[in-house]
Amino acid sequence: MATGKQFIELASKHIGEKYVLGATVPFENSIYKGPWDCAEFVSWVVYQISGIKAGIKGNEAYTGYWANDVGKTCTKISISEAAQTFGAILFRSPGYKGIKIGHIAFSDGTGGTIEAKSSKDNVCRSQIKGRQWEYGILVNNIDYEVNTSFVFDYNNPPFNFYVTSPIMKHLIVEETKRKLAKINIFHGNIDQVYDKETAIAVSNYQAMKGLVVDGVLGKDTLTSLKVKQYTTIEKSLIWFKQNFEEKINKKLAGTPFNLPLIMAIAYQETGYVWSRMIDKTTIEDLLMCCTGDTLDSPNRSAFPKNKAELIAHPNGNKMFDIGREALKNVGRWDTTYKNLYNTRPDKFCHGYGIFQYDLQFFKTNPNFFLNKEWSNIEKVIEMAVNELKAAQNRIPSFKGKTALTNTEKIYAAIAYNKGTADINKDFKQGHKNESGKYYGELVNEYYKLALQL
């Protein structure tokens, strides 16, 4: 039986060959060397290996024909599944989200692709992430192998602009529209909204410049337009918003806080680890790895000051084992924690979850820690919002307020971090990091960024 790995092996032999949009190929010619377009390339490889004509009508291959073959000669799967499957197909049909031209590529089973990509890149290896895909495809009667050691959690491109709900907005979109309007490609409103009309204009520009035509405003298109791109922090904040916005807004109802403040606090608390994990693992695993703070006495005064105080408490031995496991998990993504785990057998994590619920609460809320509930995003959001409300009420002049200014929100965040806040001082309050910046200063910076996203 033909295999998915054979698709990859044959496809890789044609890397570097020419791409031409709309090119037709002789499917019976086993030594053909191009030119290719995306659908002809995939269909030719499948036919050479298996004898199956998928995505082909008459003598032509087309992404629209591939869409028609799903349920006939092919089976639809998720993008995440396709990313883990050697030789599976990644697919976007023509017309999807307003993008006129479809696209198709092989998955290499490790997060990459082999594809006839564009007139700029030709046949090449590329990446799955950061691009607009619709679903994955398996050709029937092919033996596929799944790469179980690779975990891929695909959402729509997290660091790019594309048509979605809620609508994406940013100054980068506005600048892009100005650039496209100057060359007579965009004719709509010059604003920050990335809508269908914008995506069509971007697609037309991509076609004109020989880029991948996907209607997604990403790195290659922004570079070509000479438009300033996202910062790493903005990328992370956008990912956080896209994945958790609905759940957060539900918990914020009736409070004086807003989504950008929660985004800022989440990045300040654990962005150092989860920003590295985006697109590299599942959301559940990402949340589980958001642990930290290994400071013991004399640098810690709250319970537990050290291992001895923890294990002396009921269920303390079990909690210590959980704390060690948490340290090992975060060490997968942070070398400092990895080294602590390997060299300090007494070390364990004191902060749990994306908002860092402290182990001092083990005395009053042991089940949160023992049941590893910090991977439950709805649970940790609810707890963080409740802590913010309590922090607000610890500032006498804020107590009971149903609305807070942006400045007042930052003081509430400072109180969330250090117990209280002095509103007569600036934001240089709360934990001070190694670079000399205070918690309040950093949350304010991230909050300002989040307000723009």
Side-chain angles (χ1 to χ4, degrees), residues 360-378:
Q360 64 180 299
F361 298 108
F362 181 64
K363 287 185 173 182
T364 56
N365 188 13
N367 288 338
F368 174 85
F369 302 97
L370 296 174
N371 297 333
K372 303 179 183 178
E373 294 178 0
W374 65 89
S375 66
N376 182 334
I377 187 61
E378 292 184 344

Side-chain angles (χ1 to χ4, degrees), residues 292-311 320 323-324 327 340 344-352 358-359:
D293 183 5
T294 61
L295 293 178
D296 290 329
S297 179
N299 297 310
R300 181 180 173 89
S301 58
F303 170 88
K305 296 181 182 68
N306 50 38
K307 175 184 177 181
E309 187 173 31
L310 176 60
I311 64 176
F320 175 75
R324 284 290 291 172
L327 181 57
L340 279 174
R344 295 289 301 276
D346 58 321
K347 287 291 187 182
F348 58 99
C349 288
H350 296 90
Y352 291 82
D358 194 270
L359 194 55

